[in-house]
Amino acid sequence: MPAVRPYTCGLDAAADVIGGKWKPRILWALHHGPRRFGELRKEVTGVTEKMLIQQLRELESRNIVHREVFHQVPPKVEYSLTELGESLNIALMPLDQWGADHMTEIEASRPG
């Protein structure tokens, strides 16, 4: 197995945790409190069930998302942000604002 390379800066570490199309959107959906899987699937428009499961598992393994299973009938599972996840969402807020402020320019410059 190849050696894990060290991060070169904080942005490198953060990008490793939230990299990809879906993770920031999942984190944003959890910003307002715990969500069940079906709720997340509706809020994160376009994500497949398989991809959502994979991304939630990765975020859980990095201690960003907490998965709580309620032992009842029918079974209930909720996802929420950990303290680390909450702090990551706070860090994403300025990026969200930048995107909102420049959305028209960004859309106009998209290829294809």
Side-chain angles (χ1 to χ4, degrees), residues 29 36 64 71 90 110:
R36 293 179 71 172
I64 303 297
H71 299 287
I90 290 168
R110 265 198 289 203

Side-chain angles (χ1 to χ4, degrees), residues 65-108:
V65 167
H66 172 71
R67 179 179 185 265
E68 185 163 358
V69 179
F70 296 89
H71 299 287
Q72 62 186 45
V73 178
K76 177 180 169 184
V77 177
E78 277 188 350
Y79 295 90
S80 60
L81 294 174
T82 63
E83 278 188 46
L84 190 59
E86 297 261 0
S87 68
L88 180 54
N89 251 6
I90 290 168
L92 290 173
M93 286 178 185
L95 187 59
D96 173 65
Q97 186 61 55
W98 181 87
D101 290 347
H102 301 285
M103 197 176 302
T104 304
E105 294 169 66
I106 297 166
E107 286 176 344

Side-chain angles (χ1 to χ4, degrees), residues 26-59:
I26 293 166
L27 292 171
W28 214 243
L30 291 171
H31 180 71
H32 300 292
R35 296 284 187 268
R36 293 179 71 172
F37 184 84
E39 294 171 318
L40 283 172
R41 180 103 193 269
K42 288 177 188 168
E43 286 186 48
V44 183
T45 311
V47 70
T48 64
E49 187 172 320
K50 180 182 176 184
M51 182 58 71
L52 182 56
I53 290 168
Q54 178 185 332
Q55 299 294 285
L56 284 167
R57 284 181 180 155
E58 288 178 19
L59 289 167

